[in-house]
């Protein structure tokens, strides 16, 4: 066999292997995406059932206590609340697929409510995630590279403690210390004409209250990932060769630990958005938390499900990105 024929055969083999890996990778992504979408749909069904089981009536909540039975019956017929629960869910779900979420029981378009409040929640959660990422990388690196330093000795019990403390307790303590005690930051959020926070200082305490519990968890995960990556043979060889610590960390340790760190941070997005619903209430922040609490009080299943669908879609996208990063990393090592 000639040399050119051998080269062509080898190239065809490499191309075929790459095609098989790409097909396998795409299949895994499709399966993961289908699983997450299925879970989200199941959660939406449970939301509709849970709201329907609550005592009271959405029409009565919208019309008030003085409404007559005739008025309530007419409102339920007008809103479609007299239909069976599966029918109401299917109608709402069909609208979700087309971008038409309908109106609340008070007649306000749901898309209009979400468009005016969800950006504020995303801003709050995004800043908290950025602060959590910074704390996780700095704290985890300090703890892993200098385990006997004073900072590492403080991080060990401190991270365990903050993980166990819920956001509303931390938010209350922050208000007592930095608002009522020192007056450095406002305890409540005042909105501007656009519906957002009037001043950036009003974001400080809510962001810190959200970031502290997640920072504790992610610092521990980052420390464990860096410590495990540091035991790799090529990393130990780099250390024995006398390479600078910063070079070993950035070029050899961090690339191995990064998928684990990214997955942990992606998981924290759901916790941040869930915690934001509580923190927004404490600080009177104009986000989606107040919308959700009001919709539950109104027994408005369509609005509650729309909030859950929107936050669930955001969390699904972030988790999918983390899955892709981890799959790409494993595929690259193979």
């Amino acid at each position: 066999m000639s040399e050119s024929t051998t080269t062509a055969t080898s190239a065809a083999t490499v191309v075929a292997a790459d095609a098989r890996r790409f097909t396998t990778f795409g299949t895994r992504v499709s399966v993961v995406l289908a699983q997450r979408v299925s879970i989200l749909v199941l959660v939406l069904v449970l939301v509709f059932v849970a709201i329907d089981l609550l005592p009271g009536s959405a029409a009565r909540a919208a019309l008030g206590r003085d409404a007559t039975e005739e008025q309530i019956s007419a409102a339920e017929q007008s809103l479609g609340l007299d239909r069976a629960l599966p029918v109401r869910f299917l109608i709402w779900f069909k609208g979700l697929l087309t971008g038409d979420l309908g109106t609340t029981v008070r007649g306000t378009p749901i898309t209009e409510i979400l468009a005016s409040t969800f950006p504020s929640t995303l801003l709050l959660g995004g800043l908290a995630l950025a602060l959590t990422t910074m704390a996780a990388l700095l704290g985890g690196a300090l703890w892993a590279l200098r385990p006997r330093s004073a900072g590492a000795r403080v991080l060990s019990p401190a991270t365990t403690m903050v993980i166990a403390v819920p956001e509303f307790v931390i938010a209350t303590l922050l208000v007592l210390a930095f608002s009522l005690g020192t007056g450095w930051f406002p305890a409540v959020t005042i909105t501007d004409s656009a519906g957002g926070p009037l001043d950036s200082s009003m974001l400080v305490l809510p962001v810190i209250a959200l970031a502290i519990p997640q920072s504790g968890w992610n610092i521990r995960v980052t420390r464990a990932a860096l410590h495990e990556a540091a035991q790799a043979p090529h990393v130990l060889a780099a250390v024995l060769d006398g390479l600078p610590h910063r070079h070993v960390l950035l070029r050899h340790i961090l690339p191995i630990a990064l998928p684990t760190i990214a997955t942990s941070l992606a998981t924290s997005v759901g916790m941040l958005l869930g915690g934001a619903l509580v923190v927004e209430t404490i600080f009177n922040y104009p986000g989606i938390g107040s919308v959700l609490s009001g919709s539950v009080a109104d027994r408005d299943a369509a609005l509650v499900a729309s909030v859950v669908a929107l936050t669930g879609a955001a969390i699904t996208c972030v988790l999918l990105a983390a899955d892709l990063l981890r799959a790409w990393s494993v595929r690259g090592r193979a």
Side-chain angles (χ1 to χ4, degrees), residues 140-154 156 223 227:
L142 173 64
W143 193 354
L145 301 180
R146 301 181 186 276
R148 295 183 179 179
S149 64
R153 295 178 187 276
V154 172
S156 180
R223 179 259 176 189
H227 178 73

Side-chain angles (χ1 to χ4, degrees), residues 12-61:
T13 303
V14 172
V15 170
D18 289 342
R20 284 196 298 272
R21 282 199 293 267
F22 181 78
T23 302
T24 304
F25 181 72
T27 303
R28 290 178 180 174
V29 171
S30 301
V31 171
V32 170
L33 182 60
Q35 290 175 341
R36 298 199 185 282
V37 172
S38 300
I39 293 174
L40 181 57
V41 173
L42 178 61
V43 170
L44 295 175
V45 172
L46 294 177
V47 167
F48 255 78
V49 173
I51 297 299
D52 190 67
L53 292 176
L54 289 176
S57 166
R60 182 178 292 278

Side-chain angles (χ1 to χ4, degrees), residues 90-223:
L90 290 176
I91 292 174
W92 173 84
F93 190 74
K94 183 179 177 182
L96 174 66
L97 298 178
T98 60
D100 182 12
L101 299 174
T103 61
T104 68
V105 294
R106 300 181 184 275
T108 306
I110 293 177
T111 52
E112 182 179 312
I113 295 176
L114 297 181
S116 62
T117 55
F118 196 59
S120 297
T121 299
L122 282 182
L123 174 63
L124 183 63
L127 291 175
L129 180 62
L131 183 60
T132 300
T133 303
M134 187 183 306
L137 292 177
L138 294 178
L142 173 64
W143 193 354
L145 301 180
R146 301 181 186 276
R148 295 183 179 179
S149 64
R153 295 178 187 276
V154 172
L155 285 174
S156 180
T159 52
T160 303
M161 182 180 67
V162 297
I163 290 174
V165 181
E167 288 87 354
F168 74 89
V169 175
I170 296 176
T172 304
L173 294 176
L174 290 174
V175 170
L176 290 175
F178 299 105
S179 183
L180 301 180
T182 63
W184 291 351
F185 301 103
V188 296
T189 305
I190 300 174
T191 58
D192 56 17
S193 58
L198 185 61
D199 189 83
S200 58
S201 63
M202 298 174 182
L203 286 165
V204 175
L205 295 185
V207 168
I208 295 176
L210 279 176
I212 286 180
Q214 299 309 314
S215 296
W217 168 260
N218 284 284
I219 285 174
R220 299 188 75 88
V221 172
T222 302
R223 179 259 176 189

